[in-house]
Amino acid sequence: MVYDENPFRKGGTIKNDSVSSAPGTLEEPTYVEIIDTNPPPEFGPVEKQRHFGILRYTVANRFRKLMLIALVNLVVLVGFFLFIFFLVIHLEKKHEDIHISSTLHTYLDTTTTSAPTTQTNTTANPSDHTGCSPNQKSTFFFAYSNDFTADQVLNTWNTIPDDVKRAYETIVLGRFDLNEGFWTFVSSNCSGEIDGALLSGLPNSTESIKDPLEGSSVFSMINFFFNLDVTHCGATLFILVKRLPTDSFISDLVSMLQKYHAYVTFVVSNNSFGGSSSEPMYRLASETNGVCIFTEDDNIQETPFRLPSVWTLYLVYSFNVDVTSNGFTPLPIFSSPLVGYYHIFMTLQDHGPLDTFKMVYLRWYNAISLNSGSFEETVASHANSRNSTYTTGWHNLDAVLYDMTLQYQFLDLMLLGAGITDKSTVLERIYTQHVTFMDPEATIPPSCPILHITYRKSKTDKRQILQFSVNMLPKFLASFSPPPTRLHHSLVALSSNYRNSLFS
């Protein structure tokens, strides 16, 4: 008999005593083990299974490892992004400190010379912000080429109304196209300090560039201005150009003017020399809501009277129109914000002198506006403009939406030969006049106690210049019959009845 040696095995055995089929052969007995297959009770206790505990331990251990790996990856990722962020900030600051020049002159490392009272600073402006509001005081930059005469520059400066100069917190003078560097003067005082500095920095032929083919440094002068320690946001740049630039790269300057919401006005001589094209300056003005006009040298001193971009007005409409020989084009709708007078300005060519222009007809229309209107400029009506390439005028408008259309005629530009493209760009600008009543008791800063008003009562009278304190203004207005009832912020005395006779 064979017994089961495993004491823990449950069941029993069955003995088999059968005889072998072969006679005479003794066969060992066979035992069959019977296993107890009865299942445990349905709700009875079950033996604890140890492999589940091992599994739970393994899963928990691997989960902790995964969490640790995820935490390490997160720290590395955050550190990488912080490194990239500070690297970009560092490179931007480093780039701002670099003097960018877009001129081909050999004197790229510019210097600043001036009178003994000059204040100059080329460090970055600590309050150099870009979020200025339209009525915030800023900087007026008056720059001029050394190739003009001293009288031309001085007379132009004196024609700028004093209240326009007082509207800015800082005035900067700049002289460029020198045989070496630039001359600049910075002042926050509107008294005789600026006038004295201008007298000491007028054009001097001994400092002129000798080569008439060498290009202007006007773009470097603009870039130099944006490195001065003055407020750039909302700045007005009024620049007189005699020598054309030879370089055409203006992308950096376009970005700079757009960034600071600054407006540039180029007044270019029809008798210019240096570079072969004025197109880069015109394109710079057109891409930044600025103005670029061409005129005779003797007429430059009159431009502050006629260019609204120099006055303290608000630009409310700006559009550039590409024109060919003849055509008609709709313009974007003009949403007039206020009832009142608007100054509509338009260039007639994108180069000078005037040689391709024949006619423009601008129309603004709203069915419910009695001030819908138009103006037409032809070669005949423009004959007294002394070859200037722009037209401008005041118009009374309502606070409505106006449909704008432009009809034009130009000579076939392809017939004019090389150097002229088959299209021209016309700049259309509309400015609001800031109309207000001037308080006779208003205080004028002690450094600027005198008002200077240039006027003429009729076209036959000579233009006169008055100087008086602000409390004498009512007497001046009473000299008109009937007296004007509104005053213009930029030109001090403006009446709808006398506007053409005073300033035409």
Side-chain angles (χ1 to χ4, degrees):
M1 179 178 294
V2 178
Y3 298 96
D4 186 6
E5 297 178 354
N6 189 347
F8 299 99
R9 181 174 298 172
K10 297 180 181 181
T13 60
I14 298 178
K15 182 179 179 181
N16 185 3
D17 294 330
S18 61
V19 181
S20 171
S21 59
T25 302
L26 181 63
E27 186 174 352
E28 295 182 359
T30 301
Y31 295 88
V32 178
E33 183 178 2
I34 299 176
I35 303 299
D36 184 6
T37 60
N38 293 329
E42 185 174 356
F43 297 102
V46 181
E47 284 188 326
K48 185 177 180 180
Q49 304 297 317
R50 296 178 57 85
H51 61 276
F52 285 109
I54 297 174
L55 178 61
R56 188 181 304 109
Y57 171 80
T58 303
V59 171
N61 187 40
R62 290 184 177 179
F63 178 76
R64 285 193 294 268
K65 289 182 179 179
L66 289 175
M67 292 299 294
L68 181 61
I69 293 174
L71 180 61
V72 172
N73 289 337
L74 180 62
V75 172
V76 172
L77 190 62
V78 171
F80 174 77
F81 280 110
L82 288 176
F83 170 78
I84 295 297
F85 174 79
F86 287 110
L87 179 62
V88 171
I89 295 298
H90 173 73
L91 292 178
E92 288 182 352
K93 291 182 178 179
K94 183 176 180 181
H95 177 72
E96 290 177 357
D97 293 334
I98 297 176
H99 178 73
I100 304 175
S101 176
S102 59
T103 183
L104 301 179
H105 288 293
T106 57
Y107 48 92
L108 293 179
D109 295 330
T110 60
T111 59
T112 301
T113 60
S114 63
T117 57
T118 299
Q119 306 168 10
T120 58
N121 191 343
T122 59
T123 60
N125 184 8
S127 59
D128 198 11
H129 58 282
T130 60
C132 53
S133 60
N135 59 349
Q136 178 179 324
K137 287 191 173 184
S138 186
T139 303
F140 185 83
F141 181 39
F142 178 64
Y144 46 91
S145 171
N146 190 68
D147 295 302
F148 284 109
T149 66
D151 287 342
Q152 289 169 342
V153 171
L154 183 60
N155 292 338
T156 304
W157 169 257
N158 290 334
T159 308
I160 302 175
D162 283 353
D163 67 311
V164 172
K165 302 171 187 176
R166 283 194 297 270
Y168 296 90
E169 66 178 10
T170 305
I171 293 179
V172 177
L173 303 177
R175 180 160 55 106
F176 56 96
D177 290 345
L178 301 171
N179 53 20
E180 184 178 356
F182 306 112
W183 176 91
T184 59
F185 179 86
V186 180
S187 174
S188 58
N189 192 329
C190 64
S191 64
E193 186 181 47
I194 279 287
D195 294 330
L198 181 67
L199 290 175
S200 66
L202 291 172
N204 188 338
S205 59
T206 61
E207 301 177 271
S208 298
I209 300 173
K210 305 305 179 183
D211 185 0
L213 299 180
E214 184 173 348
S216 172
S217 58
V218 58
F219 292 156
S220 293
M221 180 80 261
I222 297 174
N223 186 76
F224 186 77
F225 165 74
F226 283 105
N227 283 279
L228 292 175
D229 186 14
V230 296
T231 300
H232 300 135
C233 193
T236 297
L237 288 71
F238 184 44
I239 303 177
L240 311 182
V241 181
K242 178 75 172 180
R243 182 184 296 262
L244 300 182
T246 54
D247 50 334
S248 59
F249 181 77
I250 61 170
S251 297
D252 291 342
L253 292 179
V254 169
S255 300
M256 193 78 70
L257 289 165
Q258 292 175 346
K259 173 183 177 181
Y260 291 110
H261 314 287
Y263 299 99
V264 61
T265 297
F266 290 111
V267 177
V268 186
S269 169
N270 279 333
N271 304 307
S272 57
F273 48 88
S276 60
S277 175
S278 58
E279 186 269 342
M281 286 188 298
Y282 196 90
R283 183 158 46 93
L284 177 60
S286 67
E287 294 181 11
T288 58
N289 297 323
V291 167
C292 181
I293 63 102
F294 303 84
T295 189
E296 300 297 332
D297 290 0
D298 293 340
N299 196 38
I300 287 178
Q301 64 186 28
E302 301 291 332
T303 54
F305 272 128
R306 306 179 185 278
L307 294 179
S309 59
V310 181
W311 309 339
T312 51
L313 301 181
Y314 299 99
L315 178 66
V316 293
Y317 186 88
S318 178
F319 192 71
N320 306 324
V321 187
D322 290 333
V323 299
T324 53
S325 55
N326 297 284
F328 174 88
T329 182
L331 304 179
I333 293 176
F334 171 48
S335 177
S336 177
L338 298 170
V339 176
Y341 281 97
Y342 289 79
H343 204 105
I344 299 180
F345 169 91
M346 182 189 301
T347 59
L348 305 177
Q349 281 187 185
D350 57 6
H351 61 279
L354 204 65
D355 56 0
T356 63
F357 164 74
K358 294 178 65 177
M359 183 275 295
V360 291
Y361 178 76
L362 180 69
R363 182 174 183 261
W364 54 95
Y365 175 76
N366 182 288
I368 64 173
S369 174
L370 297 179
N371 287 318
S372 297
S374 63
F375 75 79
E376 182 180 26
E377 190 78 359
T378 64
V379 174
S381 64
H382 200 68
N384 295 327
S385 67
R386 286 183 278 183
N387 214 12
S388 297
T389 62
Y390 66 97
T391 182
T392 183
W394 290 98
H395 300 274
N396 194 18
L397 303 178
D398 296 318
V400 296
L401 300 178
Y402 284 102
D403 293 323
M404 309 285 290
T405 57
L406 178 67
Q407 184 178 354
Y408 53 86
Q409 291 182 7
F410 288 82
L411 293 177
D412 192 343
L413 302 180
M414 296 299 293
L415 300 178
L416 297 179
I420 305 282
T421 61
D422 59 349
K423 67 178 181 179
S424 182
T425 301
V426 171
L427 307 183
E428 173 69 30
R429 307 286 187 260
I430 301 180
Y431 302 83
T432 61
Q433 68 165 345
H434 182 70
V435 179
T436 184
F437 290 96
M438 180 174 287
D439 182 4
E441 301 301 325
T443 58
I444 300 297
S447 58
C448 307
I450 301 300
L451 293 178
H452 301 268
I453 298 182
T454 304
Y455 80 103
R456 57 168 82 149
K457 288 188 177 182
S458 66
K459 292 184 178 180
T460 58
D461 291 343
K462 294 183 178 179
R463 184 175 280 114
Q464 304 178 44
I465 298 178
L466 295 184
Q467 296 185 5
F468 50 84
S469 59
V470 67
N471 57 8
M472 295 177 59
L473 184 61
K475 295 181 180 180
F476 168 72
L477 298 179
S479 65
F480 293 91
S481 179
T485 57
R486 294 182 175 182
L487 302 177
H488 186 264
H489 181 72
S490 298
L491 301 180
V492 181
L494 268 182
S495 167
S496 60
N497 297 328
Y498 293 98
R499 180 173 293 111
N500 293 330
S501 63
L502 286 176
F503 299 102
S504 62

